[in-house]
Amino acid sequence: MKTMKLTMAGLVLAAAGWATSVTAATAVGPICDTAARVGSTTYYSCSGGSHNALDMSNGTCSVWNHRGMINVSRHYVYYGGCANNCSGGTSCNGGAGNYYITSGGSGWQFRQLHLNSNVSSGTKTCDRCALGLVGSTGNSTGAHVHADNRQYGTRKTAWYTNVGTTCGSSAYCSNRVGTPTL
């Protein structure tokens, strides 16, 4: 009877979303424009800081949709409130600007930052849907989509380096740019 109660408790927790498995997902480019390119990956500055993320753009602001990058239906949680901006340089939302987070198990998150909002911006569950417009909200320089994969707040690079994504790679919405852990 004790074993049955523990098994039932485990099923209830799993059904409630408490137990999640950690898996690799496929991430595609966020911009449906063939001119979209990766402009920044991993670098280390003289001050010891690092980027450890992909910055992607097509050279425009508020024109092309900033799409969800995960290639299956995922729940995207929206953090907004920043005024639309095409040149950046503000500290809204701690420098992230308007952004989305998709969460997985064991502290994993995939984040997409700096978008300009539009009427469809908001928390949603979807497969590569439009999240907003490419922008430069928060602490950014010029309109782009910043994407990173984190575990317990630490940025990881293997999600894009393992698939060979480098500066100049295509960030078109049907091109695979990485395999984030979720």
Side-chain angles (χ1 to χ4, degrees):
M1 187 66 157
K2 192 177 204 179
T3 303
M4 186 175 167
K5 285 182 182 178
L6 289 174
T7 303
M8 289 300 289
L11 290 173
V12 170
L13 287 174
W18 288 90
T20 57
S21 61
V22 176
T23 60
T26 298
V28 295
I31 304 168
C32 288
D33 178 2
T34 56
R37 294 283 181 260
V38 173
S40 182
T41 60
T42 303
Y43 61 80
Y44 296 92
S45 68
C46 294
S47 65
S50 62
H51 186 247
N52 296 339
L54 295 182
D55 284 348
M56 298 157 281
S57 73
N58 64 343
T60 62
C61 183
S62 290
V63 176
W64 293 100
N65 283 331
H66 172 154
R67 296 186 145 332
M69 294 172 63
I70 306 300
N71 197 11
V72 296
S73 185
R74 294 295 300 193
H75 185 69
Y76 291 90
V77 178
Y78 178 65
Y79 298 88
C82 305
N84 288 349
N85 191 330
C86 290
S87 59
T90 65
S91 62
C92 183
N93 285 338
N98 298 319
Y99 66 102
Y100 281 89
I101 292 179
T102 299
S103 296
S106 298
W108 284 99
Q109 293 181 331
F110 185 75
R111 304 177 342 135
Q112 292 180 237
L113 283 58
H114 306 314
L115 72 144
N116 280 343
S117 62
N118 64 16
V119 294
S120 71
S121 295
T123 296
K124 58 185 82 180
T125 300
C126 61
D127 180 0
R128 297 175 291 152
C129 62
L131 300 177
L133 303 170
V134 176
S136 188
T137 59
N139 188 15
S140 66
T141 306
H144 69 280
V145 176
H146 168 107
D148 65 53
N149 194 200
R150 296 175 177 221
Q151 186 179 32
Y152 298 116
T154 301
R155 290 184 196 170
K156 308 293 184 174
T157 60
W159 75 275
Y160 61 88
T161 57
N162 283 348
V163 297
T165 300
T166 59
C167 286
S169 295
S170 174
Y172 183 66
C173 62
S174 66
N175 184 53
R176 183 175 78 146
V177 295
T179 54
T181 301
L182 289 170

